[in-house]
Structures are given as C-alpha cells and as structure tokens.
Amino acid sequence: MQLTEVNMLFKIVNKLTILNLSYIQMESKLKAEESNNATIMEFVLTGFSDVPNLQWILFGIFFIMYLIILLGNSIIILITRLDLTLQNPMYFFLGNFSFLEICFVTVSVPRMLRDIWTQKGNISFLACATQMCFVLMFGGIECLELTVMAYDRYVAICNPLKYPIVLSHKVYTQLVAGSWVSGIPVEIGQTCWIFSRSFCGSNRINHFYCDIPQILKLACGDTFMDQMVVYILAVIFLMVPFLLTVASYGKIISRTPKLSSAKGRAKAFSTCSSHLTVITLFYGTAAINYLQPKSNQSEGLGKLLSVFYTILTPVMNPIIYSLRNKSVMVALKRLLPNY
C-alpha cells in the first residue's frame, strides 16, 4: 500500500472517530436534558435528613406541637362562637386568627410529619406549587390580621369611648374580609410567576416544605427579577404590617402611664409586651428568610427560621393572645363545668 493511500485511510478513520465522539456527546446531552425535564415533574424535600439520629425525636416534638396548635386554636374558635359574653370585635378577630393559624400550620406540618415517618420526601410539581401558594397566602393574611388586631387594641385602650363606633360590626367584618381578599390573588400570582420558570440540575429541596428561596435556587438562568418581586411583596406583606403593628402598640404603651388605675397600667403593659414578643419573633424570622439575598442564605439557617414562624409562634399564639385572657378562661370554665 502506498503512502498516500495510508494517509487517506488514516484521515477517514480520524473523521469517523470525531463523528463517533460527537454522536456520543450529543446523545449524552440529550439524556441530560431529558433528565432535567424529568425533574420538573417532581421534587424531593430533604427535610431533616441531615440529622438522621434525631428523626424520631423531631417527629415526636413536631407531632405534639401540632396537636397543641390544633387543640388550643380549636378551643378558642369554639369559645368565641358559643359564649355570648365574647361577641365583640376583639374576640371575633381572635377566633378568625385561630382558624387562620390552623390553616397556616396544616399546609406544611402534616406533610413534614409524613416525610419523616416514611423517610421519603417526594412531592409532585403541582403539589409543591400548591403548598407554596397556600403557605404564602395564609402567611400574608396572618400578617394583615395581626395588624388589624393591634389596631383593635389601640382603639380599645386609647379611644375607648369611640370603640363601638370605630369598630362597628360592619367595619370589623370588612377588615377581616379585606385581609383575606387582598392576600389571596397576590400570592396566587406570585406562585404562578415562580413556577412558570424552567428548573434544571438537582431536584432536591433542602427544606421541609416548598418555599420561595429554596425553589429559586433550582431555577435555570438569571433569577434577579424573581428575587425583586419576592422582595417587593415581602416589604408589602411583612414590613408594612409590622411597622403599623409596632406603631399601634407603641401608641398603647405611650398611653399606658396615663391610665387611671395601676392594675389597668400593668395589664396593658403586660399584654402589649407579650404581643410584641411573639410578633417580633414571627416577623423577624420571616423577614430574614425572605429579604436576605439568595446568595447569602444558609440552607440550615433557612430551615431553622422557618420552624420558628411556621411552628413555634403558632404554638405560642393561643397562649399569648387568648389563654392568658381572663375573659377567655372564664368562658372556658363555663363551657367545661367540671374543668
């Protein structure tokens, strides 16, 4: 065989090798794209799998806390509906707030308990979007509801003579209805906005429920606009209600020294301080979670903060807002004569 023929044969073999490698690379790329597309249909919530030795301890703690939330808030709803002495705006707000707390916690905690029990965190794309929508919706409504409740206390303590007029039956029902109506369409729109993106890479969510910061970490491409939308809505539904709530309690505290009786001053200060403690805990942890830049967020810290405002504060709220209230305890004893 001549040298020219050998060179031609070598070139042909070389080209076939290059084509074969190109085909293999294209096939691998297609398989990767198919794999990425498959992750869009399902996510995996890792929950607390990073602490395997504490799984059953955490299950027991969260299960007991969930039962406390259900029982405490259900009692408040029952009392405020049945007892005739509690038919006023304050207890109407408390009953509605207790119902809201049950809804807010039930969206995430039962699913988390199931995942710990089964050691599986698979959740479909639609279920994940639905869960996130309801968490955001009930959380936003709760912020508005806390503001309404603070305003109610402000009017009752600072303008007691005008209280029946300022917060008539029509007004306080409209305030509650407005809290619900304003929160629902906004959070549905935000959820649709976020889940309309493409997701690539890992489908594992290092959290115990579907939350915005963790979902955005899985999104393809630049998420700057998504983060800006999250910040704007967080300011509207977190910071603005928080400032209004603090302003209301600030007015109450400034008015407290002017109250005639020492007992009344002590009661007003005790009520406001306990309310502000829970409110600061709820708003503070939620604000850090949603307002902190995505690049600076620690996944472990995000989970811990979420435990505070999704589980711990709902456990404390029935005690702080209702069960420390003398009128509520009297109504409870009337409802349970043998208590």
Side-chain angles (χ1 to χ4, degrees):
M1 185 178 291
Q2 296 181 359
L3 183 61
T4 55
E5 292 177 346
V6 171
N7 288 337
M8 288 180 63
L9 183 61
F10 179 77
K11 288 180 180 179
I12 291 171
V13 171
N14 190 36
K15 287 182 178 180
L16 288 173
T17 303
I18 293 172
L19 289 172
N20 187 44
L21 289 173
S22 300
Y23 174 77
I24 292 172
Q25 290 176 353
M26 187 179 296
E27 187 178 22
S28 299
K29 186 177 180 181
L30 288 172
K31 287 181 178 179
E33 289 178 355
E34 288 176 1
S35 177
N36 286 338
N37 289 334
T39 62
I40 295 177
M41 304 306 297
E42 185 178 73
F43 295 106
V44 178
L45 294 166
T46 60
F48 299 95
S49 58
D50 52 340
V51 283
N53 296 332
L54 300 177
Q55 291 286 298
W56 297 112
I57 296 175
L58 290 174
F59 178 88
I61 292 172
F62 291 141
F63 181 71
I64 292 171
M65 293 174 78
Y66 182 57
L67 290 181
I68 292 172
I69 293 168
L70 291 181
L71 181 61
N73 286 289
S74 297
I75 289 173
I76 294 167
I77 294 171
L78 187 64
I79 291 173
T80 55
R81 292 289 295 174
L82 297 181
D83 197 283
L84 296 178
T85 63
L86 302 183
Q87 304 306 305
N88 60 53
M90 175 184 174
Y91 297 106
F92 176 80
F93 293 140
L94 283 175
N96 183 75
F97 184 72
S98 295
F99 173 73
L100 184 59
E101 285 280 69
I102 292 174
C103 295
F104 179 59
V105 174
T106 302
V107 172
S108 58
V109 175
R111 173 102 202 182
M112 177 190 67
L113 292 173
R114 195 208 70 168
D115 291 343
I116 295 175
W117 182 270
T118 62
Q119 300 294 300
K120 295 178 181 179
N122 300 66
I123 183 170
S124 69
F125 182 88
L126 180 60
C128 187
T130 303
Q131 184 187 56
M132 191 179 84
C133 180
F134 278 109
V135 168
L136 295 175
M137 184 174 67
F138 290 132
I141 297 169
E142 186 165 322
C143 292
L144 298 174
E145 188 75 15
L146 286 170
T147 306
V148 170
M149 292 168 66
Y151 176 69
D152 168 75
R153 291 299 83 208
Y154 162 72
V155 177
I157 294 174
C158 297
N159 296 290
L161 298 178
K162 296 182 179 179
Y163 184 73
I165 301 172
V166 175
L167 283 170
S168 63
H169 181 271
K170 181 180 178 180
V171 171
Y172 68 71
T173 52
Q174 286 177 342
L175 287 172
V176 170
S179 299
W180 282 82
V181 171
S182 59
I184 293 174
V186 173
E187 300 306 347
I188 290 176
Q190 184 180 18
T191 303
C192 293
W193 170 280
I194 291 173
F195 278 87
S196 64
R197 296 191 59 91
S198 298
F199 298 94
C200 51
S202 174
N203 67 334
R204 298 177 70 82
I205 302 172
N206 191 9
H207 213 295
F208 59 90
Y209 72 93
C210 294
D211 200 11
I212 293 178
Q214 286 70 33
I215 294 295
L216 285 180
K217 287 182 179 180
L218 306 181
C220 303
D222 187 16
T223 59
F224 176 76
M225 286 301 299
D226 304 89
Q227 292 182 62
M228 289 306 299
V229 171
V230 172
Y231 292 153
I232 292 170
L233 292 178
V235 169
I236 294 173
F237 283 95
L238 284 175
M239 298 312 298
V240 172
F242 174 70
L243 292 175
L244 291 173
T245 303
V246 171
S248 296
Y249 283 117
K251 289 282 188 180
I252 295 172
I253 292 173
S254 65
R255 181 67 183 268
T256 299
K258 299 177 184 178
L259 296 177
S260 57
S261 66
K263 185 178 180 181
R265 290 194 296 270
K267 181 180 178 182
F269 182 79
S270 174
T271 300
C272 291
S273 60
S274 58
H275 287 193
L276 280 173
T277 300
V278 177
I279 287 168
T280 302
L281 181 64
F282 174 79
Y283 279 109
T285 52
I288 294 172
N289 191 39
Y290 289 106
L291 294 176
Q292 187 182 21
K294 187 181 71 169
S295 58
N296 296 339
Q297 282 191 345
S298 165
E299 292 180 340
L301 178 62
K303 270 192 287 191
L304 180 62
L305 293 173
S306 297
V307 168
F308 272 93
Y309 66 81
T310 60
I311 303 175
L312 185 59
T313 54
V315 169
M316 297 169 65
N317 281 335
I319 301 170
I320 297 297
Y321 281 99
S322 301
L323 299 182
R324 292 177 72 251
N325 186 298
K326 185 177 179 180
S327 299
V328 171
M329 295 308 297
V330 171
L332 179 61
K333 289 179 180 180
R334 280 198 295 266
L335 184 66
L336 303 172
N338 296 324
Y339 176 70

